[in-house]
Amino acid sequence: AQTVTQSQPEMSVQEAETVTLSCTYDTSESDYYLFWYKQPPSRQMILVIRQEAYKQQNATENRFSVNFQKAAKSFSLKISDSQLGDAAMYFCALNNAGNMLTFGGGTRLMVKP
Amino acid sequence: NAGVTQTPKFRILKIGQSMTLQCAQDMNHNYMYWYRQDPGMGLKLIYYSVGAGITDKGEVPNGYNVSRSTTEDFPLRLELAAPSQTSVYFCASSYNRNNEQFFGPGTRLTVL
């Protein structure tokens, strides 16, 4: 069985500052994919960033980057230059060799002006 | 492209009623999924399909049924609705299991 844990139910960041959201996971597979999804109040699930486990290089998408530590089974999301529109629930998710995407419990990010 | 569409957006059911949540995608994706999201929680997989005619159970399949007669459509059937099925239901699709899943806007279901 695979599990995904997000230990921070809520985080707060000042506009223009940097924040890091934590995620740890457990899987017995060596080939898997990790994702961060954003869910704003509209409820729509939006992909933020994706990381293949076989790639050593950390994924980056504009202001969003990850710190992927395979040995530690850690997959944190860093948001730089935070904007008011970044306020949302953020979900970490793991897709291993099976067909199931397992989600963490989510972190609510608040951005203060 | 409309992406992934779901109907209805909201629904209130009485205990014991049945209904079908509709999901359609126009991206020619092979994989389709149904999730439920309880308040303050992450998403849990109910059922998924890897192609027309092929479906399989996810983490929380009890009380639900699915079918996949076409690539585009993946309806979710609730039989004998119970209050425990009050949730937001998301349909998603992807080209294959390793690609990004595209989500529909969700259906908020309340069972009273």
Side-chain angles (χ1 to χ4, degrees):
Chain A
Q2 56 186 27
T3 59
V4 178
T5 302
Q6 294 178 247
S7 58
Q8 306 153 316
E10 276 192 4
M11 291 285 286
S12 179
V13 64
Q14 204 71 34
E15 195 175 6
E17 299 282 301
T18 295
V19 65
T20 298
L21 308 184
S22 300
C23 173
T24 58
Y25 61 92
D26 190 24
T27 179
S28 57
E29 303 292 335
S30 58
D31 178 26
Y32 52 90
Y33 294 74
L34 292 158
F35 304 83
W36 278 98
Y37 279 89
K38 171 185 177 181
Q39 186 179 42
S42 67
R43 250 181 13 213
Q44 182 70 46
M45 294 289 287
I46 304 164
L47 179 69
V48 175
I49 202 163
R50 173 176 179 260
Q51 174 81 43
E52 294 89 339
Y54 64 84
K55 289 187 177 178
Q56 293 186 339
Q57 187 173 6
N58 289 325
T60 299
E61 287 288 340
N62 300 315
R63 298 183 294 107
F64 298 86
S65 62
V66 298
N67 183 4
F68 174 47
Q69 302 289 327
K70 191 171 184 178
K73 295 184 177 177
S74 170
F75 183 60
S76 59
L77 174 70
K78 185 171 85 170
I79 306 174
S80 304
D81 186 26
S82 297
Q83 300 175 359
L84 295 177
D86 294 334
M89 285 289 290
Y90 286 82
F91 292 98
C92 178
L94 165 68
N95 187 342
N96 70 0
N99 293 313
M100 292 178 57
L101 191 63
T102 299
F103 285 83
T107 296
R108 180 176 302 281
L109 178 66
M110 295 174 286
V111 181
K112 298 177 181 177
Chain B
N1 283 353
V4 179
T5 57
Q6 291 183 238
T7 55
K9 285 187 169 53
F10 304 93
R11 183 73 185 269
I12 298 175
L13 282 181
K14 293 182 179 178
I15 294 172
Q17 287 185 319
S18 300
M19 76 163 296
T20 299
L21 280 65
Q22 301 291 343
C23 174
Q25 53 91 11
D26 61 359
M27 297 174 282
N28 202 31
H29 284 169
N30 295 316
Y31 286 63
M32 295 188 75
Y33 312 83
W34 274 107
Y35 294 92
R36 60 177 286 171
Q37 184 181 28
D38 297 332
M41 307 287 284
L43 280 68
K44 293 188 176 180
L45 184 65
I46 305 171
Y47 270 96
Y48 67 94
S49 168
V50 303
I54 307 170
T55 62
D56 206 349
K57 296 178 181 179
E59 188 181 358
V60 290
N62 291 344
Y64 307 94
N65 276 301
V66 294
S67 60
R68 183 103 181 265
S69 56
T70 68
T71 299
E72 295 78 19
D73 301 298
F74 190 42
L76 177 72
R77 178 84 177 159
L78 278 73
E79 304 282 0
L80 298 174
S84 61
Q85 293 178 305
T86 294
S87 191
V88 178
Y89 291 84
F90 287 96
C91 179
S93 73
S94 64
Y95 181 68
N96 63 33
R97 67 174 179 86
N98 294 327
N99 284 93
E100 171 191 0
Q101 292 188 16
F102 292 83
F103 286 81
T107 295
R108 182 178 295 276
L109 176 68
T110 301
V111 182
L112 300 174

